[in-house]
Amino acid sequence: MSHTTQNTFTGADVVSLRDTLRPGDVDAVGAIVTATGKFRPGEIAVAQELVQETLARGEAAGYLFTFADAGERVVGYACYGQIPCTLTSYDLYWIAVDPGLQGRGVGRLLVNAAEAHVRRLGGRRMFIDTSSRPDYAATRAFYERCGYTCEATLRDYYATGDGKAIYGKDLCTGP
Amino acid sequence: MSHTTQNTFTGADVVSLRDTLRPGDVDAVGAIVTATGKFRPGEIAVAQELVQETLARGEAAGYLFTFADAGERVVGYACYGQIPCTLTSYDLYWIAVDPGLQGRGVGRLLVNAAEAHVRRLGGRRMFIDTSSRPDYAATRAFYERCGYTCEATLRDYYATGDGKAIYGKDLCTGP
């Protein structure tokens, strides 16, 4: 993914997408994921480790990234990759947008860019895991607006009373 | 898990369980997983990498193992661990028994030992992913005999026409 998609989301700011990592992205990801208020400290550490590991090992780490920048500032990102032991299935591991900029289409831009990237790599299905908790209703509704269907729910998965909802989408309709 | 469970499964052989890895286990796992005829070369490589990574990094790698030995010979193994970003859920990543010794209770011994280990670590739920393909019917029936329920199926997950069946079991019935 070498192209840059741009989208004006306020009167002044333009969001540009990039798929190359910068060292500052470790802190940027920590800040955005923390700001969403949706993740435990251990989960935030995992999000940052995936950036760090990819900076260190490159593609061999197995993770792909798309970042949304407004000028010099990171305002959102997606992390995705081929699911180990599958031939054509990918997982959108993380997607987060600065809470102050949610509802302006940045998340949708990131999902579209991730799906386009996966299609170019031959991926046929994209999966997203999220929580089944009531406070994730807006997140689940966002995935549904992006064309994802809840294909399964595993109760007490993340913690007792906190189930996992597994969303899926076919990325190609051909044979 | 420092104890050793023993079970006579033929007139002569005694199976003993251990949870400490030996360098020779990389080859042993490759041989057993290959012999089952159930896995693609890429999957076999993953199974071996988990052993290698644990030999190199220890518990930090995030994987636990139980091996079943008949004398000096490895006849089966289970690989399991806490699922990242969950508090009390574990995944039985791999379980394989030498095809010549299947049907004699070695798999059941390994599942019981893995569950007991996870319970001691405070785990409350165990999950197992497997294929929904017809040639995995005996595998799925084995998990059901061990008390697991198919909680979800994701179509076209491993490959087109090869879905993922997700089995789950509560490891504790208390509050």
Side-chain angles (χ1 to χ4, degrees):
Chain A
M1 188 164 56
S2 57
H3 64 281
T4 294
T5 309
Q6 295 195 316
N7 185 51
T8 300
F9 70 87
T10 72
D13 299 326
V14 171
V15 168
S16 59
L17 301 181
R18 66 179 158 89
D19 63 351
T20 50
L21 285 182
R22 301 170 185 161
D25 290 334
V26 178
D27 288 342
V29 160
I32 287 176
V33 169
T34 301
T36 65
K38 297 284 187 190
F39 302 99
R40 286 182 279 268
E43 293 175 303
I44 296 165
V46 168
Q48 293 186 282
E49 280 165 20
L50 303 189
V51 182
Q52 196 97 61
E53 199 182 329
T54 304
L55 281 166
R57 296 177 57 208
E59 279 189 14
Y63 303 106
L64 303 165
F65 289 88
T66 301
F67 279 82
D69 300 322
E72 293 298 303
R73 191 169 145 239
V74 176
V75 296
Y77 88 108
C79 170
Y80 46 101
Q82 187 169 1
I83 302 172
C85 297
T86 74
L87 296 187
T88 50
S89 288
Y90 285 70
D91 200 297
L92 185 61
Y93 297 118
W94 291 87
I95 179 167
V97 174
D98 186 319
L101 295 174
Q102 288 180 10
R104 302 190 192 185
V106 178
R108 189 61 173 262
L109 269 184
L110 289 167
V111 170
N112 289 351
E115 291 177 353
H117 194 175
V118 166
R119 274 193 199 93
R120 286 195 297 278
L121 295 171
R124 300 175 69 92
R125 300 214 74 203
M126 183 85 101
F127 291 95
I128 311 176
D129 293 347
T130 191
S131 171
S132 63
R133 271 160 41 194
D135 53 319
Y136 276 74
T139 301
R140 294 191 298 271
F142 167 71
Y143 296 140
E144 287 167 13
R145 286 197 301 278
C146 290
Y148 288 79
T149 305
C150 181
E151 300 193 3
T153 303
L154 302 173
R155 66 177 167 74
D156 300 329
Y157 184 90
Y158 294 110
T160 301
D162 186 0
K164 175 162 85 166
I166 304 173
Y167 283 78
K169 180 177 179 176
D170 289 321
L171 297 184
C172 46
T173 52
Chain B
M1 186 163 58
S2 57
H3 63 282
T4 294
T5 309
Q6 297 195 313
N7 185 50
T8 301
F9 68 88
T10 72
D13 299 327
V14 171
V15 167
S16 58
L17 300 181
R18 64 180 160 88
D19 63 351
T20 49
L21 285 182
R22 300 169 185 162
D25 290 334
V26 178
D27 289 342
V29 160
I32 287 175
V33 169
T34 301
T36 65
K38 296 285 187 191
F39 302 100
R40 286 182 279 266
E43 294 175 303
I44 296 166
V46 168
Q48 293 186 285
E49 279 164 22
L50 302 188
V51 181
Q52 196 98 60
E53 197 183 331
T54 305
L55 281 166
R57 297 178 56 209
E59 279 189 14
Y63 303 105
L64 303 165
F65 288 86
T66 302
F67 279 82
D69 300 322
E72 294 298 303
R73 189 168 146 238
V74 175
V75 296
Y77 88 109
C79 170
Y80 46 101
Q82 187 169 359
I83 302 172
C85 297
T86 74
L87 297 186
T88 51
S89 287
Y90 285 69
D91 200 296
L92 184 61
Y93 296 117
W94 290 87
I95 179 168
V97 174
D98 185 318
L101 295 173
Q102 287 179 10
R104 303 191 192 186
V106 178
R108 188 62 172 263
L109 269 183
L110 289 167
V111 169
N112 288 350
E115 291 176 353
H117 194 177
V118 166
R119 275 194 197 92
R120 286 196 297 277
L121 295 170
R124 299 175 68 92
R125 298 214 77 203
M126 183 84 100
F127 292 95
I128 310 176
D129 294 346
T130 191
S131 171
S132 63
R133 270 159 40 194
D135 53 317
Y136 276 74
T139 301
R140 295 191 298 271
F142 168 70
Y143 296 140
E144 286 165 15
R145 286 197 302 278
C146 289
Y148 288 79
T149 305
C150 181
E151 300 193 2
T153 303
L154 303 173
R155 65 177 168 75
D156 299 330
Y157 184 90
Y158 294 110
T160 301
D162 186 0
K164 174 163 87 166
I166 304 173
Y167 282 78
K169 180 177 179 175
D170 290 322
L171 297 183
C172 46
T173 51

